[in-house]
């Protein structure tokens, strides 16, 4: 089995900016800058022989390049048990279009449709069920976070495996963003 997801790679300078957000909350697991990405579709565990079919389907996705801006910080989870701290993404129609085309391609390749709505984000830390009270000052201090706009010219199929110090993400294939 191989664990897969489709994501956008972030430029180094954007990951540098994001790593500046990775402090100021005790007892959390900050994401290493090298592991920061923007997931478009979590695929999960699939049988390895399915990989060429997934690759073929993704290589047929046609979408133009576009620019993205990251902005704001927020959490997933609820007030008593925050799970994930993340940086958000400024609303972007091209991102939704791309995500929709990737979803259609994967369903065409035989995967089950993703029932969850995509909430684009870049995970900054895992919080192990922290109370939101402990995060209020961090969230307020970083509410105005905004990255530069950065261009995207490809999306990436990653595999995820468990290394000694957590998940290791490896690019399996890259797909250029080009118009039909
Ligand atoms: P997260 O960072 O918000 O946890 C690889 O695990 C990538 O797939 C991560 O960006 C992760 O998002 C995303 N992902 C989405 N759904 C997932 C799930 N059910 N299990 C693990 N990762 C998931």
């Amino acid at each position: 089995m191989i664990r897969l997801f489709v994501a956008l790679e972030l430029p180094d300078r954007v990951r540098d900016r994001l790593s500046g957000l990775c402090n100021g909350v005790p007892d959390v697991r900050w994401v290493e800058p090298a592991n920061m990405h923007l997931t478009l579709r979590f695929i999960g565990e699939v049988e390895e022989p399915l990989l060429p079919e997934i690759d073929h389907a993704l290589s047929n996705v046609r979408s133009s390049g576009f620019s993205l801006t990251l902005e704001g910080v927020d959490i997933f989870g609820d007030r008593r048990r925050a799970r994930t701290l993340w940086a958000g993404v400024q609303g972007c129609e091209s991102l939704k279009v791309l995500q929709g085309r990737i979803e259609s391609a994967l369903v065409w390749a035989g995967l089950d449709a993703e029932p969850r709505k995509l909430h684009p984000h870049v995970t900054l830390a895992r919080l192990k069920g922290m109370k939101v009270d402990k995060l209020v000052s961090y969230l307020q201090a970083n509410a105005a976070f905004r990255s530069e706009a950065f261009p995207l010219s490809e999306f990436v199929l990653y595999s995820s495996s468990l290394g000694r110090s957590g998940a290791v993400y490896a690019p399996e294939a890259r797909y250029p963003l080009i118009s039909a």
Side-chain angles (χ1 to χ4, degrees):
M1 297 290 268
I2 182 167
R3 189 176 175 88
L4 298 172
F5 64 100
V6 180
L8 296 171
E9 195 172 64
L10 302 173
D12 288 348
R13 60 189 186 283
V14 173
R15 287 187 290 192
D16 283 351
R17 282 284 321 275
L18 291 170
S19 68
L21 295 172
C22 293
N23 58 71
V25 188
D27 303 325
V28 304
R29 270 195 297 134
W30 297 105
V31 174
E32 294 292 325
N35 277 347
M36 291 173 177
H37 58 268
L38 198 163
T39 297
L40 296 170
R41 171 57 142 90
F42 179 67
I43 296 175
E45 306 272 342
V46 298
E47 303 281 350
E48 227 145 311
L50 249 186
L51 185 53
E53 279 176 52
I54 290 173
D55 175 48
H56 177 66
L58 292 175
S59 66
N60 282 320
V61 171
R62 294 286 171 272
S63 213
S64 310
F66 57 93
S67 285
L68 266 191
T69 303
L70 304 182
E71 66 176 12
V73 289
D74 208 340
I75 54 155
F76 288 140
D78 57 48
R79 295 193 66 77
R80 290 156 57 105
R81 291 182 62 81
R83 285 182 289 106
T84 309
L85 176 63
W86 47 268
V89 180
Q90 203 175 75
C92 174
E93 196 50 38
S94 303
L95 181 68
K96 286 187 200 151
V97 169
L98 174 60
Q99 190 265 335
R101 290 182 184 167
I102 289 171
E103 178 63 19
S104 304
L106 292 175
V107 170
W108 177 84
L111 300 185
D112 290 337
E114 169 61 74
R116 299 174 296 183
K117 190 171 175 291
L118 178 76
H119 191 129
H121 66 279
V122 179
T123 296
L124 300 173
R126 315 229 177 245
L127 305 172
K128 303 178 226 159
M130 179 177 277
K131 281 197 178 151
V132 173
D133 308 5
K134 291 191 179 174
L135 295 160
V136 170
S137 57
Y138 174 93
L139 295 173
Q140 282 172 352
N142 294 297
F145 169 76
R146 177 193 274 245
S147 76
E148 63 189 272
F150 55 94
L152 290 158
S153 56
E154 62 178 17
F155 67 94
V156 183
L157 176 65
Y158 286 95
S159 61
S160 166
S161 52
L162 212 53
R164 272 201 207 162
S165 47
V168 178
Y169 303 139
E172 296 291 327
R174 296 173 179 276
Y175 308 93
L177 290 172
I178 36 172
S179 307

